[in-house]
Amino acid sequence: MDSIRLFEAKRFLQHRLEILNTDARRAFEPIPGLQAAPIPVLLHIFSTVELLSGLWAGWHDKARKPSSDTRTPLRRTSDFLETYLCYPQKQNQVALSLWKNGLTREIGKPILRNENFEYEWKLCRSTEKHWTIEAVGEERFVLYVGVEDLISDLKEGLFGPSGLFEDLRIDHRVQTNWQTAILEIQQQGFRFEA
């Protein structure tokens, strides 16, 4: 990747983080008579992570993914979280399923259920329990999500020594994937400015 494209990628990643930090700060600003509003910023964080996972993998639209990549978009995003944020797959799958199946359908407290268990999440500004699952009853579990913790971990996952930006700098496969995904986005009629 040439230095101009690398600079554009870095600027894009930094800008995404700035926006997420601003959203998080606003979500938790004390306003008399109003509660904190972490759900919109969480939607934005997960949308950003999904976008980044597509850039990393080289595809967004599952109809356009390489036949050698058997992952679903959810699994691709979970793999991105595992690779760059060092988050465990189970928590990733629960969080992403709550986001996809709960938040995108209705704003409120999403619950993920099947015949054997029930998951929900507890959102807060920051918590020592961030990205941990705790049993809160028989077959009932809570995933703790610290919004600022998630953004901080994402920053490290993007710009840390083993982060996405370092991979963009040195790994030809990641560079090619990034460029392929941008082209796919543009071919679908969207403007992508890195």
Side-chain angles (χ1 to χ4, degrees):
M1 183 176 271
D2 64 40
S3 61
I4 292 174
R5 286 194 174 146
L6 196 58
F7 173 78
E8 289 172 346
K10 183 176 186 179
R11 188 180 66 196
F12 169 76
L13 296 172
Q14 288 171 329
H15 184 66
R16 299 302 324 146
L17 286 171
E18 288 170 15
I19 291 170
L20 294 176
N21 277 313
T22 299
D23 285 356
R25 187 179 66 254
R26 288 180 180 157
F28 291 101
E29 274 180 6
I31 300 173
L34 296 177
Q35 296 180 14
I39 290 177
V41 72
L42 196 63
L43 283 168
H44 194 180
I45 292 168
F46 281 130
S47 295
T48 298
V49 169
E50 185 176 53
L51 170 64
L52 294 171
S53 76
L55 292 168
W56 167 65
W59 59 274
H60 281 278
D61 183 350
K62 62 184 173 188
R64 296 177 180 221
K65 72 179 177 176
S67 58
S68 60
D69 192 340
T70 60
R71 297 176 295 181
T72 64
L74 187 119
R75 181 56 191 233
R76 179 200 67 209
T77 306
S78 183
D79 288 349
F80 178 87
L81 288 168
E82 182 181 43
T83 300
Y84 291 110
L85 280 66
C86 301
Y87 284 180
Q89 280 289 339
K90 181 175 183 178
Q91 284 87 326
N92 298 346
Q93 294 286 324
V94 168
L96 293 168
S97 294
L98 283 166
W99 168 57
K100 285 287 191 182
N101 299 317
L103 284 183
T104 55
R105 286 186 174 68
E106 61 182 72
I107 297 297
K109 191 170 198 171
I111 296 176
L112 182 63
R113 288 187 182 107
N114 76 10
E115 62 278 353
N116 299 318
F117 61 81
E118 179 178 294
Y119 283 97
E120 62 184 72
W121 55 21
K122 179 167 176 53
L123 307 177
C124 53
R125 184 176 213 142
S126 183
T127 176
E128 290 180 8
K129 295 181 178 184
H130 174 65
W131 223 253
T132 61
I133 294 174
E134 185 176 282
V136 292
E138 192 173 314
E139 299 173 354
R140 288 190 61 234
F141 303 90
V142 171
L143 171 67
Y144 290 91
V145 180
V147 172
E148 290 178 347
D149 301 317
L150 182 54
I151 294 169
S152 176
D153 291 346
L154 181 58
K155 180 180 180 182
E156 181 66 21
L158 296 178
F159 291 110
S162 299
L164 176 61
F165 185 72
E166 182 63 15
D167 282 352
L168 266 173
R169 202 176 66 70
I170 64 172
D171 187 327
H172 181 69
R173 181 186 53 82
V174 175
Q175 294 168 2
T176 301
N177 286 352
W178 181 276
Q179 292 301 114
T180 301
I182 288 174
L183 185 60
E184 175 192 315
I185 291 167
Q186 291 169 337
Q187 287 173 343
Q188 292 177 1
F190 296 99
R191 240 177 89 198
F192 185 89
E193 294 182 16

